[in-house]
Amino acid sequence: MELHLCGGRKYNGHEEIYWQSVRDFIIGRNLTQVLFVGTASETHQGPLALQFFREKVNLNESIQIFDAEVSGELNLVHSPVVYVLGGMKQMELINLIRTNKKLERIICTCPYYFGESMGAKLVGSKLRVGTAGTPLIEGLGILKDTVIEGHYTQKQRQQVLIDEVKTENLKYGLGIDEDAEVVTNPETFPHYNKLGPGLIELITNER
């Protein structure tokens, strides 16, 4: 499982560069199905989230894009690329996944996962859904013993991440800037490759 975790999809301040990289990845590997999860978005809700994604990623019609919120579409996907959009409706996203075991299984076993902001945070074993200092809740646990913070230096979350690692006694804290992307997989993490010019910081808790 290859993870692409972005802190906020703004490479050099330009979303177009980010979306081009996603498009090139999908086309370059001849992938044919994408499962889109846009539940967390507060600016593009329901069908508008899918429309936003289609317009931004701009894939040709031979690549099928399915909506995780549409009943029945989960039955049509087979090892899809999963893309999880960010946003402030974080508990809605978590509840959607937790109450749909088939969706959770698809996400946790997909060959390629793209998550930005909340979508990146989701793969950790713990995540924050409120303001700084809010008790962490369970994530998907794809990256074990880890908490992730997006918009890292842009929203000055350095100390927040340190405190989360210490309070929860986690092994790793991963901070990702808006214009940076971590490429890794659960087997080799904490080793990762970096895309984009922004900061990525890995905090290790020597327990």
Side-chain angles (χ1 to χ4, degrees):
M1 182 181 195
E2 187 172 296
L3 303 171
H4 293 249
L5 309 177
C6 184
R9 71 166 189 258
K10 290 184 179 178
Y11 281 16
N12 293 319
H14 300 290
E15 283 194 29
E16 293 80 5
I17 300 173
Y18 170 75
W19 289 115
Q20 181 67 53
S21 71
V22 175
R23 178 164 54 253
D24 289 347
F25 182 91
I26 293 171
I27 294 173
R29 283 162 179 74
N30 297 313
L31 304 174
T32 59
Q33 290 189 334
V34 179
L35 179 64
F36 173 72
V37 189
T39 309
S41 177
E42 76 282 3
T43 55
H44 305 90
Q45 299 185 33
L48 293 179
L50 180 61
Q51 180 181 337
F52 168 81
F53 177 73
R54 286 184 182 278
E55 290 174 355
K56 290 294 186 180
V57 77
N58 193 26
L59 296 169
N60 62 57
E61 292 182 359
S62 66
I63 300 173
Q64 298 174 295
I65 301 175
F66 297 96
D67 189 342
E69 293 187 8
V70 176
S71 177
E73 294 212 351
L74 294 182
N75 296 324
L76 303 176
V77 299
H78 305 282
S79 298
V81 181
V82 172
Y83 190 100
V84 182
L85 196 67
M88 296 302 295
K89 295 168 60 182
Q90 300 177 2
M91 284 308 305
E92 287 90 337
L93 172 62
I94 292 166
N95 290 336
L96 173 73
I97 297 170
R98 292 301 189 202
T99 57
N100 191 326
K101 292 302 179 184
K102 183 166 190 174
L103 173 58
E104 185 172 2
R105 184 172 63 254
I106 291 170
I107 291 174
C108 291
T109 60
C110 68
Y112 303 104
Y113 177 97
F114 284 80
E116 38 106 339
S117 190
M118 176 55 185
K121 291 165 57 176
L122 185 65
V123 306
S125 55
K126 296 280 188 176
L127 75 152
R128 176 181 59 81
V129 296
T131 57
T134 302
L136 304 186
I137 66 171
E138 296 294 321
L140 292 180
I142 295 171
L143 293 183
K144 307 296 184 185
D145 220 357
T146 302
V147 61
I148 299 167
E149 285 287 352
H151 306 276
Y152 187 52
T153 62
Q154 288 79 15
K155 296 190 177 180
Q156 299 181 336
R157 289 174 172 161
Q158 297 94 320
Q159 189 60 49
V160 172
L161 186 62
I162 291 171
D163 292 343
E164 288 170 346
V165 170
K166 289 182 177 178
T167 300
E168 297 288 336
N169 196 29
L170 296 167
K171 189 171 184 180
Y172 301 113
L174 183 61
I176 312 172
D177 270 359
E178 292 177 354
D179 53 351
E181 183 176 334
V182 167
V183 181
T184 189
N185 68 69
E187 290 73 33
T188 61
F189 185 78
H191 300 290
Y192 63 85
N193 292 322
K194 175 181 180 290
L195 300 178
L199 177 68
I200 294 170
E201 186 168 39
L202 179 70
I203 295 170
T204 301
N205 184 13
E206 301 296 342
R207 298 179 294 192

